[in-house]
Amino acid sequence: MAPKGFIGFAIRKVSGAVLTIFIIICFNFVLFRLVPGDPVRMMFGDPRVSPERIREMYEQFGLSGTLWEQFTAYLRQLFLYGDLGQSFARGAPVLEVIADRIPQTVILVLTALIIAVITGTMLGAIAGWKTGTRFDSIIITLSLGMYAIPAFALGIIALLIFAFYLGIFPLGGMETVQSGLTGWSYWKDVLWHMSLPILAIVVWYIGEYVIVTRNAMQDTLDQDYILAARAKGLKGSAILRRHALRNAILPVVTITGVNVAFAVAGVIQVEAVFRWPGLGRLMYESVMRRDYPVLQGLFLLFGLAVVLANLTVDLIYGYIDPRIKVGGGE
Amino acid sequence: MSKLLKGLRSIREVFRLLLTHRMGIVGIVVFAVLIFFTIFAPFLHTVDPMRAGVGADVLQPPSSQFWLGTDHLARDVWSQTIYGARVALLVGFVAAAVTVGIGTLIGLIAGYFGGLLGEVLMRITDFFLMLPYLPLMIVLAAVLGPSIGNIILVVIIVYWPFTTRVIRSQVLSIKKRAFVEASRSVGASHSLLIFGEILPNVVPLICAQAVVMVTWAIYAEAVLAFLGLGDPTTISWGMMLNFVFERGLITMAPWWVIPPIVCICATILAFTFLGNAVSDIMKPGYREARGL
């Protein structure tokens, strides 16, 4: 049974999210029309292209008719057929181009996230346990630093050290080209290519988990029941496991949900560095080729991911903690 | 006049306090080096960073002529590195100034007036905060076209709501304090209350925000330039890296990669440390704890 008032709270949150997504969709439409010059002429500037073909192009990219006609056609295509338009550079539907890249990005982000959460909370808990020691201050300074440096810079540093100077990892890509590997050895090859991108994302992402867990640990250690637990003769590691980590779980879930935008930013940069064939690399390639329909589709997808993740966190919180509903959206 | 003097004195005071903070010192030193590069760039064994050289000089390793080697167009990497500081500081400071200005103004209005106006302003702010910031910057920069001015514009569009949020919540709490109520009760106008009573009390927060925004703006320029959205008429550290990666030259010319990476990391770390130091020294009790 949901707590009292939760249904109303949930409806408010969901409708807010739906509205946000709709505004993103409209924003996407406007943005694309802001392109200086004529995108079709820019892509197909060749004077030998016949006027009929040009007219066809306008039709194909949804650029014919008045702005209002274009807008309603755009919405109809999107909502009725899930159609995001046609890629300029790839001659395929945007949806197809994007769908092709989703699994690679999901694998990368999920693996990196799991490693970052586990090691980050461990390091943070230890740092919090040893507050004020040298270990603590080194961990905290490093966390702040890693968190601040752009992910692409971390990626390039990892690439220089481990791929270029030490030569133990490949320079990029997802698999050895034309290796003909199958089965287990193929996946081993993929894992080998994945190591450096994952390292870069983990290093970038870990700092926040370290800091959050450290603060939760410090809060816990100030509580009376910890004193009681110590008096009972409970060992440090047991206090850490039973109380501190449990306290840190909610903030860890929250930052994971709230920071999807942050994760997206990291994965775009790292995929660009390592030529990892995911969504981030697709965004980079589409920037290079000025493939606006694909950029538009990616922006919608990332926006959706961020809005849904935030909605999920809001709903979980509203369900667990009745105080939040009183404050409404705050 | 006396207000100006007081302002100057408080800036000197902030500076003095920063020098008692370890992270603050690191930040100030790197900042000083960047300013030195920016001002004295033409006198530091540099040539025009954009001028292509002769074929024989392409991708040369470091030498006495080219201190950090050359790139694929035989341009001097050392000169590019030094001149890159100009772009970083230009984007960082101009974008941060406008972002914090706009963000503060909207935050003051939304916090002070509340009601429907405040509600609408905060809805807009929250909408922008919700968007995935890097894809938004990439799409905007791609649509607007690559130039320094557009990068600055993109940074402003994406970052102002962060400042607005912070300023507004501070305004909400200051608004309720006794001295504001007192002013209001003697009939002070809205603008006097906002700019005379509330604004001076958010100045420390604005300073802290300004440092954060400089850091983020430099970061944004570096990322956008690395992704191929830099201004083609200048050279920045992010663009140097873009050239290397676009052409797959990283294994052939590591000397071309290391200087911009070092500069980007050092600059961003320095401003991050500076930001931490500024927010530390503004905490009540900082002086007492240090016996100052």
Side-chain angles (χ1 to χ4, degrees), chain A residues 20 23-24 27 31-32 34-36 141 144-153 156-157 159-160 164-165 171 204 261-262 264-266 268-269 272-273 283-284 287-288 290 292 295-296 299 302-303 306-307 310 330, chain B residues 23 127-146 165 168 215 219 222-223 226-229 238 241-242 245-246 250-255 257-258 261 264-265 268-269 272-273 276:
Chain A
T20 309
I23 297 175
I24 292 177
F27 183 73
L31 208 63
F32 192 40
L34 285 180
V35 179
T141 314
L144 278 175
M146 295 299 137
Y147 181 68
I149 293 177
F152 79 89
I156 294 174
I157 293 169
L159 193 147
L160 270 179
F164 179 66
Y165 287 112
L171 287 162
W204 193 57
F262 186 72
V264 164
I268 291 174
Q269 297 174 40
V273 170
M283 189 148 216
Y284 175 70
V287 166
M288 284 295 173
R290 295 293 186 267
Y292 297 113
L295 282 179
Q296 215 179 0
F299 184 62
F302 289 137
V306 170
V307 171
N310 273 294
E330 291 298 307
Chain B
M23 283 185 173
F127 171 72
F128 275 94
L129 281 177
M130 180 72 94
L131 298 176
Y133 60 91
L134 188 60
L136 179 62
M137 284 200 241
I138 292 173
V139 171
L140 283 174
V143 165
L144 292 171
R165 263 245 157 258
R168 175 190 169 252
T215 320
Y219 180 120
V223 174
F226 172 68
L227 294 175
L229 292 161
L241 293 169
N242 175 263
F245 276 79
E246 251 312 272
I250 187 163
T251 52
M252 291 177 67
W255 59 82
V257 185
I258 295 168
I261 275 290
I264 289 173
C265 293
I268 288 174
L269 278 180
T272 305
F273 286 169
N276 271 356

Side-chain angles (χ1 to χ4, degrees), chain A residues 243-314:
Chain A
H243 299 291
L245 286 184
R246 195 170 293 178
N247 263 11
I249 284 175
L250 210 52
V252 163
V253 171
T254 313
I255 58 173
T256 306
V258 171
N259 283 342
V260 170
F262 186 72
V264 164
V267 87
I268 291 174
Q269 297 174 40
V270 169
E271 285 187 5
V273 170
F274 290 99
R275 287 182 285 116
W276 182 263
L279 295 167
R281 179 75 192 176
L282 180 62
M283 189 148 216
Y284 175 70
E285 289 164 0
S286 306
V287 166
M288 284 295 173
R289 300 176 184 184
R290 295 293 186 267
D291 193 344
Y292 297 113
V294 173
L295 282 179
Q296 215 179 0
L298 284 170
F299 184 62
L300 178 60
L301 178 71
F302 289 137
L304 254 152
V306 170
V307 171
L308 290 181
N310 273 294
L311 179 66
T312 313
V313 169
D314 276 347

Side-chain angles (χ1 to χ4, degrees), chain A residues 66-133:
Chain A
T66 63
L67 263 187
W68 178 249
E69 280 166 18
Q70 289 181 29
F71 184 59
T72 48
Y74 164 78
L75 290 184
R76 202 166 47 238
Q77 287 293 319
L78 185 61
F79 285 110
L80 292 184
Y81 309 103
D83 183 3
L84 291 168
Q86 201 72 12
S87 159
F88 279 172
R90 291 163 201 272
V94 169
L95 200 63
E96 219 171 86
V97 173
I98 290 179
D100 264 1
R101 303 293 192 101
I102 292 178
Q104 291 89 311
T105 294
V106 170
I107 292 178
L108 199 63
V109 173
L110 272 188
T111 318
L113 190 65
I114 291 168
I115 297 174
V117 169
I118 293 174
T119 42
T121 44
M122 288 301 160
L123 282 175
I126 297 170
W129 183 254
K130 298 185 170 187
T131 302
T133 62

Side-chain angles (χ1 to χ4, degrees), chain A residues 38-46 54 58:
Chain A
D38 186 331
V40 171
R41 293 230 180 267
M42 230 159 76
M43 288 302 297
F44 309 97
D46 194 331
I54 293 277
Y58 278 102

